[in-house]
Every structure is written in structure tokens, then in C-alpha cells.
Amino acid sequence: ACLVDEYENKEWLRSVQTVMSNQLFLAGPEADPAGASGLPLKEAFRRIADTNSLFISPLRGGWFTVVEVGLWRAAGVTDPEILKGYISSGRNRLAAMIQAGEEGGYILTDPSTFAVYEASSRGQPSSLKSISSRIDGPDNRYFFVVVERGILGSQRVKNAEVLSDWLVSDQAKQIISGYALSGHHPFVPWSEGR
């Protein structure tokens, strides 16, 4: 389920367009103390739990939290906060990733945040690497939502609908596909039927 789904029946919601996506994956230290490299996410999370390896969880709430909790449950862990190596950092995703790099921990992330993390290292080798395959990770979807509420006015709604249509056009898809950050292409244009 998608968090946008909870808004579908709101009277002020005009439209929702899925614009692009990327795949969540597990990043971790080069040494990979849990031996999780190359494993599907569920198995990687199980190894992290079994080895009491350090896992940094960012600020709670939102879709990433739903996915992370689901992965822990799939790995047989009902409450990750009781794990010896689990840290709920209370930080945003990038700050939590920096903490994971400094402390040699694992973190669930996406290609765009990982690219920003690598860019922030200012030419120094990254202390984190991709541990799990990006292919087995859940889709991290990005939406454009058009709302009609209160004083927005019909012209603003029409302008938003024009932008919404353009964001899923072939021209926009080419721009999304070509976007690169630190040599990575973190986003994939959304295609129906994925």
C-alpha cells in the first residue's frame, strides 16, 4: 500500500501522478560484519539481527519507516528497538547515513540519498557501500499531487494540472532519466504496469 492511498477519497484531491521511482537498498560498511552482502533485503535484515550488527534508523514516520518495519518483521524481528545494535537516531536520512558511515553501521536508503552522501564526502572514499541488490528492494515512488482547496483558485489548479501532465510526458521522462548526481542516475521515470 502507498501512503498516498489514504488521501484518495478526499474531496480536495484532484489528481495524483506517479512521476518517478527508485529502489530502496541496504547500505553498510565495507567490512560487512553481518555478512549481508548480496542477500535479499529480508535475509540481510535477519543477518543484521542475528549478528547484533549496528543498524541506524533515521527519523521515524513516513513510508521509509513502514518499509523498514516490514523488513524487520519479515526477518522475524517484531520490535527492532530491542536489538542490541539498533539505534533510532531521530535524524533525517542523510544525517543518519553519515552516522552509519562514521560508526560502521547499516542503513536502509535510496539511490538519491546515497548519491548525496557520496557527494558530501568531498572526494574521500565513501565508508558505506551498497550491501543488498537494488533490484530486490521496494519501489520508492515520487508523486505529484494536485489539490483544490480553499483560496487556491481555479487558475492555479489548471496550472498545476498542466505541470502534472508535463511531469509524465516523454520530455520530462528524458530529463528524469538523464539526471545524474555524483555519477549516479538515482531516478527512473515511472511507467504504468510496473
Side-chain angles (χ1 to χ4, degrees):
C2 171
L3 293 180
V4 171
D5 294 342
E6 70 186 71
Y7 297 107
E8 276 190 336
N9 296 323
K10 302 292 184 197
E11 64 278 355
W12 44 265
L13 183 66
R14 290 284 292 238
S15 65
V16 177
Q17 292 273 27
T18 306
V19 177
M20 59 189 169
S21 68
N22 56 27
Q23 295 283 303
L24 299 185
F25 66 98
L26 184 67
E30 191 73 38
D32 189 20
S37 188
L39 296 176
L41 284 172
K42 177 176 87 169
E43 298 301 320
F45 271 64
R46 183 172 292 129
R47 287 272 181 93
I48 291 167
D50 290 347
T51 59
N52 289 316
S53 295
L54 182 62
F55 183 91
I56 307 294
S57 182
L59 193 62
R60 307 306 284 169
W63 186 75
F64 268 84
T65 300
V66 171
V67 172
E68 182 192 311
V69 168
L71 286 166
W72 284 118
R73 287 191 179 140
V77 178
T78 54
D79 182 7
E81 299 214 16
I82 65 169
L83 296 173
K84 184 178 178 182
Y86 186 90
I87 295 176
S88 182
S89 72
R91 298 176 174 187
N92 68 45
R93 188 150 305 283
L94 180 58
M97 185 170 288
I98 291 167
Q99 180 181 0
E102 290 172 347
E103 297 181 21
Y106 294 90
I107 187 167
L108 183 65
T109 192
D110 63 275
S112 52
T113 306
F114 193 73
V116 171
Y117 166 75
E118 286 189 323
S120 70
S121 66
R122 294 180 172 47
Q124 298 297 316
S126 171
S127 55
L128 295 178
K129 68 174 188 168
S130 174
I131 297 292
S132 73
S133 169
R134 294 176 187 195
I135 296 169
D136 81 326
D139 273 329
N140 180 26
R141 295 190 284 169
Y142 295 81
F143 300 92
F144 187 80
V145 179
V146 177
V147 298
E148 183 172 19
R149 227 173 157 179
I151 61 169
L152 287 180
S154 62
Q155 187 57 49
R156 284 189 172 177
V157 171
K158 288 177 188 172
N159 291 344
E161 288 173 335
V162 168
L163 177 58
S164 179
D165 290 341
W166 180 82
L167 285 169
V168 295
S169 71
D170 288 342
Q171 181 185 18
K173 288 179 180 182
Q174 287 179 348
I175 292 169
I176 292 166
S177 293
Y179 176 75
L181 181 60
S182 297
H184 298 280
H185 294 272
F187 302 106
V188 176
W190 186 258
S191 300
E192 291 301 319
R194 288 179 46 134

